[in-house]
């Protein structure tokens, strides 16, 4: 009896497998579909710089590319990694196993590095836009990862070197006490010193949890430095700038935000943020192309303008879809590394970053800009916040390829 | 220039004053928590979220109704207080007879829901709120540049704290409240409506949090997480002062602000931890807290 029952169960299971397998197979045969996963912070501190705005920009790329007209079926899904590497890696693994071909965005460096490793392991595509760490295309680079928009090297270089050139020769750093803050301070210090400037001191602030920066700002002011460099992000930066203004620190020193997004400026208001110097690769009101893109995506992002991390998702997705169209959906789904190799071989061109390319180490290169926040009376419309101080050409904006110690680069 | 332990005097005095300002927020928030815990036996984890609501209501009053800071200072605690009243009547009142843990779970859940709703509507980077024009500018104290608004915060906080203390310790209403805490059935037997007293106490504690929220709005960005940044420290303050002790909350609030301020000069990295180190030491030496009585 017992044996009979086991056989029965066994045959039922076998029948179950047999009956489901051919169906999925048949469905996959009929219409191979490209699946794109937007993975970012939907509920925490980086929600406004990525979040649903990144999803909107990704969908805009589908629309502008005209995927359906070209006979390519594309689906976009999204998820919240809560800024936790374990959560991010688990979602990435699950998505890739369920047929997601490309994951885009992923702010928070620690999560980005984890997802990059999963993409390599599963041989899928990972295009990062939201994270800062330059290790993604440095010593931890891999053939499945592309990094668009920005990185810590670019920010430190653009802001650090340009500020010294503009006369800000003495610096004091207020640094968030974790890997990202330290890396940013180290890189910026190097550029400041190279350009002939001097670092007078720095203070490490506990992260997360610091809300009052006034004592650090007073220490910075007491040092007599001409520039106070903020090696932090999000609410920390906002609070620093707000309190610097309140304590009159801005009267004696210039504030340089090393990582500032346009949503931060919006939260501060121009009255307080005016005069702040920052760098980035995209500003919605930069040129006719960026304006055209922002107008197109506006219905999907009511009341806000896209920031650079969100816009970067558009550029990344568009380039990915162009590559998929060139190599064929079936081929593109087969190997992530091969798709990335094809992406590197094709020049990039989109309304967000303009013409650009992806280097052998996975770094997408395009121009970067040094911005200054406008005075309230200079702003002509909502979100009209920046003046361009300098443009840094694509070949100078990012770390030289031979200095990143990326194993993919055979110098 | 005078130097104290290698730190220039003016910098040190500046930090002491800043510590006092932060202490003002700790004192106001821990006071509300203490009152609620003392009379309701509820560990109100939603306090930070209600503080945040106070700031947001001030922002809404300005942006939707055009009512400025001074109106907000009165209306926001009132509105959030009524919200607290509804919370108490509909949810919290069912938990008085149960273990503390249930109250903690409920209020923690409420905090997550409230913060989530605000984050969903207003995003995470926050909203700007300007300092009222009357309090703009700063006064040069010789050793530091004191923004007038910060001076006002310390003053307003002191008034609010002392007012609450007087209300509870020196008035008939306060006497009834304290009596109801000791023996509710007996006080009820004298014809006092104890459940109503308890509801009003909760609303009062919540209104105090909202008042602190309005004071904080021009200093920090008005964002959904502003309360959760504070709440852990504030709980430590309550524990150090002694759960349920009014004076304990006020004194420890201000003094821990000062201790934190000094740590920021000598070893900034530890400034978020120092309060918890103090808490551990106090718990070892005096488990009921500095001002608490052992039950």
């Amino acid at each position: 009896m017992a044996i009979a029952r086991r056989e029965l169960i066994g045959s039922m299971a076998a029948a179950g497998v047999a009956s489901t397998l051919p169906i999925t197979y048949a469905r996959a045969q009929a219409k191979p579909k490209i699946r794109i996963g937007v993975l970012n912070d939907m509920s925490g501190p980086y929600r406004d710089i990525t979040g649903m705005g990144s999803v909107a920009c990704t969908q805009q790329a589908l629309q502008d590319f005209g995927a359906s007209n070209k006979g390519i079926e594309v689906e976009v899904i999204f998820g919240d990694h809560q800024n936790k590497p374990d959560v991010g890696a688990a979602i990435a693994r699950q998505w890739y196993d369920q047929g997601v071909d490309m994951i885009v965005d992923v702010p928070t460096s620690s999560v980005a590095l984890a997802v990059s490793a999963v993409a390599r392991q599963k041989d899928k595509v990972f295009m990062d836009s939201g994270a800062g760490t330059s290790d993604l295309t440095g010593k931890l680079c891999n053939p499945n990862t592309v990094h668009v928009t920005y990185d810590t090297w670019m920010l430190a270089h653009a802001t650090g070197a340009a500020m010294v050139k503009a006369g800000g020769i003495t610096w004091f750093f207020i640094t968030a006490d974790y890997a990202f803050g330290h890396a940013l301070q180290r890189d910026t210090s190097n550029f400041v010193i190279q350009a002939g400037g001097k670092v007078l001191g720095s203070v490490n602030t506990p992260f997360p949890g610091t809300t009052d920066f006034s004592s650090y700002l007073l220490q910075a002011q007491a040092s007599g430095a001409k520039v106070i460099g903020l090696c932090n992000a999000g609410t920390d930066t906002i609070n620093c700038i707000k309190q610097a203004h309140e304590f009159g620190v801005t009267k004696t020193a210039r504030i340089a935000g090393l990582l500032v997004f346009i949503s931060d400026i919006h939260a501060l208001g121009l009255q307080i943020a005016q005069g702040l110097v920052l760098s980035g690769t995209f500003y919605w009101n930069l040129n006719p192309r960026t304006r055209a893109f922002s107008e197109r995506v506006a219905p999907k992002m009511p009341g806000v303008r896209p920031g650079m991390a969100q816009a970067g998702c558009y550029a990344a997705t568009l380039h990915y879809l162009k590559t998929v169209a060139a190599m064929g959906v079936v081929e593109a789904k087969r190997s992530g590394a091969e798709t990335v190799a094809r992406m590197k071989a094709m020049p990039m061109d989109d309304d967000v970053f303009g013409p650009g390319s992806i280097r052998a180490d996975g770094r997408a290169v395009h121009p970067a800009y040094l911005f200054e926040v406008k005075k309230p009376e200079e702003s002509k419309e909502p979100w009209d916040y920046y003046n361009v101080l300098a443009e840094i050409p694509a070949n100078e904006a990012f770390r030289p390829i031979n200095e990143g110690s990326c194993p993919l680069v055979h110098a | 220039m005078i130097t104290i332990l290698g730190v220039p005097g003016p910098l040190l005095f500046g930090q002491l004053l800043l510590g006092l300002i932060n202490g003002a927020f700790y004192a106001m928030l821990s006071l509300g928590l203490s009152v609620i815990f003392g009379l309701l036996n509820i560990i109100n984890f939603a306090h930070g979220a209600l503080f945040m609501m106070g700031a947001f209501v001030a922002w809404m009053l300005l942006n939707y109704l055009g009512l400025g800071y001074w109106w907000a200072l009165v209306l926001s605690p009132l509105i959030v207080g009524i919200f607290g009243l509804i919370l108490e009547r509909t949810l919290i009142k069912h938990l008085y007879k149960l273990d503390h843990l249930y109250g903690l779970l409920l209020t923690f859940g409420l905090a997550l829901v409230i913060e989530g709703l605000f984050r969903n509507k207003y995003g995470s980077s926050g909203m700007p709120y300007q300092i009222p024009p009357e309090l703009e500018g700063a006064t040069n104290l010789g050793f530091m540049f004191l923004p007038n608004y910060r001076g006002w915060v310390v003053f307003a906080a002191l008034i609010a704290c002392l007012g609450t203390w007087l209300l509870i310790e020196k008035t008939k209403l306060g006497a009834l409240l304290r009596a109801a805490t000791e023996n509710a059935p007996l006080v009820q037997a004298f014809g006092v409506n104890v459940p109503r007293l308890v509801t009003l106490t909760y609303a009062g504690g919540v209104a105090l949090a909202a008042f602190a929220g309005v004071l904080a709005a021009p200093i920090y960005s008005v964002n959904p997480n502003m309360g959760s940044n504070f709440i852990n420290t504030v709980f430590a303050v309550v524990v150090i002062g002694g759960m349920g002790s009014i004076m304990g909350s006020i004194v420890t609030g201000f003094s821990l602000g000062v201790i934190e301020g000094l740590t920021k000069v000598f070893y900034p990295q530890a400034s978020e931890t120092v309060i918890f180190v103090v808490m551990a030491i106090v718990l070892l030496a005096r488990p009921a807290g500095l001002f608490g009585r052992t039950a």
Side-chain angles (χ1 to χ4, degrees), chain A residues 43 47-48 215 246-247, chain B residues 15 119 123 125 145 150 264:
Chain A
S43 55
R47 174 189 176 282
D48 285 2
S215 40
E246 192 191 348
F247 278 82
Chain B
Q15 300 300 340
R119 199 180 296 121
S125 41
F145 194 71
R150 298 258 176 162
K264 283 179 177 169

Side-chain angles (χ1 to χ4, degrees), chain B residues 54-75:
Chain B
F56 259 102
V57 169
W59 181 87
M60 289 175 195
L61 287 172
L62 181 70
N63 285 276
Y64 300 144
L65 300 175
L67 294 173
Y69 178 81
W70 302 105
W71 279 107
L73 216 47
V74 180
L75 289 178

Side-chain angles (χ1 to χ4, degrees), chain A residues 42-49 177 203-216 218-219 221-222 235 238-239 242-243 246-249 251 263-264 266-269 271-272, chain B residues 11 14-15 18 21-22 119-131 138 144-147 149-150 217-223 225-226 229-230 261 264-265 268-272:
Chain A
M42 294 281 174
S43 55
Y46 301 142
R47 174 189 176 282
D48 285 2
I49 57 180
D177 197 8
V203 58
N204 292 330
T205 67
F207 176 88
T210 306
T211 46
D212 187 62
F213 290 89
S214 42
S215 40
Y216 309 123
L218 290 188
Q219 292 178 44
Q221 194 180 30
T235 334
I238 293 176
N239 278 332
K242 209 165 174 180
Q243 290 160 12
E246 192 191 348
F247 278 82
V249 174
K251 291 198 182 84
S263 46
D264 300 335
H266 187 71
L268 280 163
Q271 187 59 39
I272 286 169
Chain B
L11 187 59
Q15 300 300 340
L18 287 177
I21 296 167
N22 282 340
R119 199 180 296 121
N120 210 26
K121 179 87 176 77
Y122 295 102
S124 56
S125 41
M127 302 292 175
Y129 193 90
Q130 308 298 348
I131 291 174
M144 77 173 287
F145 194 71
L146 175 72
Y149 186 76
R150 298 258 176 162
I219 298 184
Y220 310 109
S221 76
V222 179
N223 79 66
N225 303 322
M226 63 191 289
N229 289 337
F230 263 108
K264 283 179 177 169
V265 190
Q269 287 89 326
S271 61
E272 290 294 305

Side-chain angles (χ1 to χ4, degrees), chain B residues 221-245:
Chain B
S221 76
V222 179
N223 79 66
N225 303 322
M226 63 191 289
S228 39
N229 289 337
F230 263 108
I231 199 72
N232 289 339
T233 318
V234 170
F235 267 105
V237 171
V238 174
V239 171
I240 295 169
M243 296 293 276
S245 160

Side-chain angles (χ1 to χ4, degrees), chain A residues 167-390:
Chain A
I169 46 168
T170 50
W171 285 62
F172 188 98
F173 290 104
I174 294 179
T175 304
D177 197 8
Y178 73 114
F180 162 79
H182 294 300
L184 208 49
Q185 184 190 333
R186 181 196 60 219
D187 290 354
T188 316
S189 300
N190 287 343
F191 292 118
V192 167
I193 293 163
Q194 267 175 34
K198 227 168 93 183
V199 177
L200 299 181
S202 68
V203 58
N204 292 330
T205 67
F207 176 88
T210 306
T211 46
D212 187 62
F213 290 89
S214 42
S215 40
Y216 309 123
L217 288 162
L218 290 188
Q219 292 178 44
Q221 194 180 30
S223 76
K226 285 189 171 163
V227 181
I228 299 173
L230 306 180
C231 299
N232 48 26
T235 334
D236 282 0
T237 311
I238 293 176
N239 278 332
C240 268
I241 296 168
K242 209 165 174 180
Q243 290 160 12
H245 186 260
E246 192 191 348
F247 278 82
V249 174
T250 44
K251 291 198 182 84
T252 54
R254 203 101 196 254
I255 307 284
L258 271 313
L259 179 54
V260 180
F261 289 88
I262 195 157
S263 46
D264 300 335
I265 303 299
H266 187 71
L268 280 163
L270 288 185
Q271 187 59 39
I272 286 169
Q274 57 178 310
L276 178 77
V277 176
L278 61 123
S279 52
T281 49
F282 168 83
Y283 166 48
W284 72 272
N285 203 7
L286 187 66
N287 59 44
R289 287 188 79 176
T290 59
R291 264 195 298 278
F293 160 71
S294 304
E295 288 310 322
R296 285 202 302 277
V297 80
K300 295 191 183 72
M301 305 176 70
V304 294
R305 291 294 189 179
M308 67 170 169
Q310 296 163 335
C313 292
Y314 170 87
T317 308
L318 192 64
H319 189 62
Y320 172 74
L321 290 175
K322 283 179 187 167
T323 312
V324 169
M327 63 194 290
V329 174
V330 180
E331 194 67 10
K333 284 187 84 74
R334 207 171 48 79
S335 161
E338 219 154 278
T339 313
V340 170
R342 290 287 290 268
M343 282 200 272
K344 288 173 182 170
M346 259 172 68
M348 271 180 99
D349 190 24
D350 54 74
D351 283 352
V352 166
F353 300 129
S357 61
I358 301 172
R359 298 192 309 210
D361 58 358
R363 178 69 248 173
V365 291
H366 33 73
Y369 304 88
L370 191 68
F371 299 115
E372 184 187 39
V373 176
K374 287 185 172 178
K375 294 188 179 73
E377 60 271 20
E378 290 173 323
S379 173
K380 292 187 188 68
E381 57 185 307
W383 295 82
D384 177 24
Y385 292 158
Y386 297 165
N387 285 320
V388 179
L389 289 185

Side-chain angles (χ1 to χ4, degrees), chain B residues 244-261:
Chain B
S245 160
I246 309 286
M247 217 23 157
S249 294
I250 302 175
V251 175
T252 25
F254 278 101
S255 43
L256 282 173
V258 170
I259 292 178
E260 194 187 52

